[in-house]
Amino acid sequence: MGDDVNAQAAPEQLPYGPYGPHGPDDLAVPVPVRKPNPRVEAFITGAAYGGLVVAGLMLGVIESFSFSWSAGPIPLAAILWSLFNLVAFCGAGWGMGRKLGAAVPTLMWLVVVIVLAIRRPEGDLVVTGTAEGTVFLYGGVLAAGIALLLSPSSGEWLVGGARRDPES
């Protein structure tokens, strides 16, 4: 009789374990989801595009003053800058998730390069009409075009903001 009083009941055997049929996630507390603030999103997007403007301007200036290095007859710096532009412009388009992300630094780069390729009244010229300058200009424009083609499209420009249903 004394043994029955001090004896503990055996723990109940659950068929799925202590957490239930789906594991420890059954006991998780739901976390409230915050809705994004449109003003904060607009500010961050604007700041990102502003950064792309500055990046495009800087690329144009730096590259325009350093494209003429060559390895013998091969315009090595112009080719490398064109490849760098391809990566940078594609990265900008991918990072922003739309073609405008690739277009902004591309246009800023192009403005700087064209301005520096125009002869001033004093006769000064930064981007020359040599083989290096030609490869630099055409390679950069080709890289920009490829980046615009490879960047994701938001689908809002042509269809006026209507989004496609992913199930159709």
Side-chain angles (χ1 to χ4, degrees):
M1 206 171 178
D3 292 330
D4 290 335
V5 173
N6 293 331
Q8 296 180 356
E12 181 181 334
Q13 294 294 327
L14 299 174
Y16 301 109
Y19 296 112
H22 302 292
D25 292 336
D26 285 346
L27 301 177
V29 177
V31 178
V33 177
R34 284 189 179 168
K35 292 185 179 180
N37 185 346
R39 288 185 180 187
V40 172
E41 284 186 358
F43 177 78
I44 291 172
T45 302
Y49 280 115
L52 292 177
V53 166
V54 172
L57 294 172
M58 287 177 55
L59 280 176
V61 171
I62 291 169
E63 292 173 5
S64 293
F65 283 99
S66 63
F67 72 90
S68 61
W69 304 335
S70 61
I74 300 171
L76 188 60
I79 293 170
L80 291 177
W81 280 128
S82 297
L83 292 173
F84 182 80
N85 284 344
L86 177 64
V87 171
F89 299 154
C90 281
W94 176 79
M96 294 303 291
R98 55 187 54 203
K99 292 188 185 302
L100 184 62
V104 168
T106 296
L107 291 175
M108 295 299 108
W109 175 86
L110 194 58
V111 165
V112 168
V113 170
I114 288 174
V115 167
L116 293 176
I118 296 173
R119 188 174 303 275
R120 295 180 36 154
E122 298 85 18
D124 296 337
L125 185 64
V126 177
V127 179
T128 58
T130 61
E132 292 90 356
T134 304
V135 169
F136 173 64
L137 287 172
Y138 287 131
V141 170
L142 181 65
I146 291 171
L148 287 171
L149 287 174
L150 294 179
S151 295
S153 180
S154 64
E156 295 177 1
W157 174 70
L158 189 59
V159 292
R163 298 220 178 230
R164 295 180 113 186
D165 185 17
E167 295 176 6
S168 60

